[in-house]
Amino acid sequence: MAQERVVVIGAGIGGLAAALRLAQAGLDVTVLERAAKPGGKMRSVVVEGQAVEAGPTVFTMRWVFEELFGECGARLGDRVALSPANLLARHAWSRDERLDLFADIEASAAAIAAFAGDREADGYRRFCARSAEVYRTLEGPFIRDGRTNPAGLAKRVGISGLGDLWRIQPFATLWSALGTFFRDPRLLQLFGRYATYCGASPFSAPATLMLVAHVEQAGVWTVAGGLSALAQAVADLAAERGATFRYGAPVERIVVEGGRITGVILAGGARIAADTVVCNADCAALGAGLLGRDAAPAGERLAPAERSLSAVTLCGVAEPRGFPLAHHTVFFSRDYRAEFDAILRQRRLPDDPTVYVCAQDRTGSGHAPAGPERLLLLINAPADGRERSLSPPEIETCVRNLLRRLEASGLSLNMASPGVTTTPRDFEALFPGTGGALYGRAAQGWAATFKRAGARTALPGLYLAGGSVHPGPGVPMAAQSGRLAAAAILDDRASTARSRRAATRGGTSMR
């Protein structure tokens, strides 16, 4: 039997995980990536001669990568240097309002008590218990499994688990659920921000996203070299296991003949034959026909209002003054609802944005380096990158408002240079078909999660991986999608082989 040929379109973390697992299984794997290196959104840009991480910066759910590496005969710790963070994040509202959260629940509760009183600290403990319950309920049947519809999830948890599903408040919004634990509007804002991890608004995202709190308490690590280094480590291991990588190789079209996948056509016209294709592009790119009309039904078409959030990011080298940055620091706007109304209803940048800052040269404990340091600054933005560009005056105003929010908490930045700004239009150029959306479909309402495509498609030979498919966005979830895609391919391959053997044993002799 000839070795099965697999083409993986895109070297984002989902595609990399699938490529690694399939190469380990002995399949002939070729990864085609339009960029010059692996990682997709896990990327860096050069500022003042230094590589600044320009994509995701928080590493959680370490078990996903430990299992992935372990399945392929390697150890994560031997390939990537990880350091646990005791200080999860610092949060600020003004010069006098500052709150740190820690990996230790009681340390965080003590900080909340000093910040907002004992009642809020008790609410935090109850919130942590509930977030752990949500995570435990969903990890097995949802995160680890390929089921994506409510009936399948209910069947997977069984009769005894239906009560657990009901208790995690699947029909409530995150904001309303938080109101049962907290009264302080600053804490509602802080924990409501977990919705943005999936590119959604806390006012419409499902309450199940409170599981993010448990995920962070289970461990946040800093990665030496940033998350782009993690992507490179996965790519290196996949290459060692036999996968071939071709960079600067954009795919123009997925070839469908006789009702199934037969290969891909590169932008230069070259054809690569394949029995199986794993598409690590965004589902919206497929749905828009950017990989050919024949493959378009396997994707999805999203109106701008259905897209998740985009962002405006500023990567720079600067000397911070007046505020003790942690590795992760969030500077909150004065009016969260107005901020999300501006982004999602008015489709514009907020006048007073919440700003996330990753101080990449600071340790998990917040130790500050001497001199200028590498910073990523991010605000949320509407994903309208396909429809319009931000004008230079709009970008200037955005940066000015961003810096004003930092200054409200006492932070000023002495920038070594203007830095590198990335807008929704830039993200659309980097990841075509998305409109700049960074998380696929927006998590709006309880059913949004189940609208995400799974690994298998109706088109024989085409499978999906990445943050726009099940189980969702974020580095570990996208990697898990690649593991699920590889598992589906191997299961389907084994099932086909069994069917052929059964047909041979029970068939009619033609002699």
Side-chain angles (χ1 to χ4, degrees), residues 369-384:
E373 51 191 289
R374 299 170 301 150
L375 301 176
L376 165 67
L377 297 85
L378 178 149
I379 69 166
N380 294 315
D384 294 338

Side-chain angles (χ1 to χ4, degrees), residues 206-225:
T208 49
L209 287 183
M210 69 174 69
L211 66 81
V212 174
H214 177 72
V215 166
E216 290 194 337
Q217 286 152 7
V220 173
W221 288 266
T222 55
V223 182

Side-chain angles (χ1 to χ4, degrees), residues 39-374:
K41 296 183 179 73
M42 297 162 67
R43 64 191 187 95
S44 63
V45 298
V46 177
V47 182
E48 293 290 305
Q50 300 186 63
V52 180
E53 291 293 294
T57 56
V58 180
F59 182 61
T60 59
M61 295 175 68
R62 177 175 172 166
W63 63 264
V64 172
F65 289 91
E66 288 181 331
E67 291 183 4
L68 173 64
F69 277 64
E71 290 162 354
C72 300
R75 291 182 67 253
L76 175 64
D78 292 340
R79 303 282 179 145
V80 182
L82 300 173
S83 301
N86 296 320
L87 172 59
L88 298 181
R90 180 159 291 154
H91 310 85
W93 290 262
S94 68
R95 291 175 183 269
D96 303 318
E97 298 169 290
R98 189 182 304 167
L99 175 63
D100 290 350
L101 288 186
F102 303 91
D104 180 75
I105 290 176
E106 283 307 312
S108 294
I112 290 172
F115 178 75
D118 290 339
R119 185 196 178 281
E120 299 299 280
D122 289 340
Y124 172 72
R125 293 185 184 94
R126 290 188 294 108
F127 170 68
C128 291
R130 178 60 59 82
S131 69
E133 182 181 22
V134 172
Y135 181 84
R136 285 192 300 268
T137 300
L138 294 179
E139 184 193 299
F142 186 78
I143 297 172
R144 288 182 177 271
D145 197 79
R147 300 177 189 272
T148 60
N149 60 68
L153 179 61
K155 183 178 179 181
R156 182 73 169 78
V157 301
I159 297 296
S160 63
L162 290 179
D164 293 334
L165 282 180
W166 186 255
R167 281 194 299 275
I168 66 175
Q169 300 174 274
F171 304 114
T173 66
L174 178 59
W175 192 264
S176 64
L178 290 173
T180 65
F181 302 102
F182 305 107
R183 291 180 182 174
D184 191 300
R186 298 167 299 180
L187 296 179
L188 289 170
Q189 196 174 21
L190 190 162
F191 295 109
R193 182 176 172 272
Y194 287 150
T196 66
Y197 286 37
C198 294
S201 160
F203 303 102
S204 58
T208 49
L209 287 183
M210 69 174 69
L211 66 81
V212 174
H214 177 72
V215 166
E216 290 194 337
Q217 286 152 7
V220 173
W221 288 266
T222 55
V223 182
L227 286 174
S228 60
L230 173 64
Q232 187 65 60
V234 179
D236 290 345
L237 183 57
E240 291 175 23
R241 296 298 184 264
T244 298
F245 285 81
R246 294 179 60 176
Y247 298 105
V251 173
E252 183 177 273
R253 180 164 59 91
I254 296 173
V255 181
V256 181
E257 295 173 331
R260 69 164 294 116
I261 296 293
T262 58
V264 299
I265 304 292
L266 299 182
R271 175 168 176 160
I272 299 177
D275 305 295
T276 299
V277 168
V278 178
C279 183
N280 187 209
D282 195 282
C283 278
L286 268 179
L290 300 186
L291 290 169
R293 198 173 300 172
D294 291 337
E300 60 183 4
R301 288 184 171 273
L302 296 180
E306 296 176 290
R307 299 172 189 157
S308 61
L309 294 168
S310 186
V312 175
T313 65
L314 174 60
C315 292
V317 175
E319 189 170 353
R321 297 173 180 170
F323 182 96
L325 286 172
H327 188 80
H328 304 290
T329 308
V330 183
F331 297 86
F332 282 106
S333 66
R334 274 303 181 194
D335 189 334
Y336 222 29
R337 193 176 291 274
E339 180 181 353
F340 281 98
D341 280 347
I343 296 169
L344 298 177
R345 294 185 180 180
Q346 301 168 32
R347 313 300 296 183
R348 65 175 180 85
L349 297 176
D351 298 325
D352 180 22
T354 293
V355 183
Y356 165 72
V357 180
C358 179
Q360 296 172 24
D361 296 309
R362 302 199 177 211
T363 65
S365 61
H367 177 72
E373 51 191 289
R374 299 170 301 150

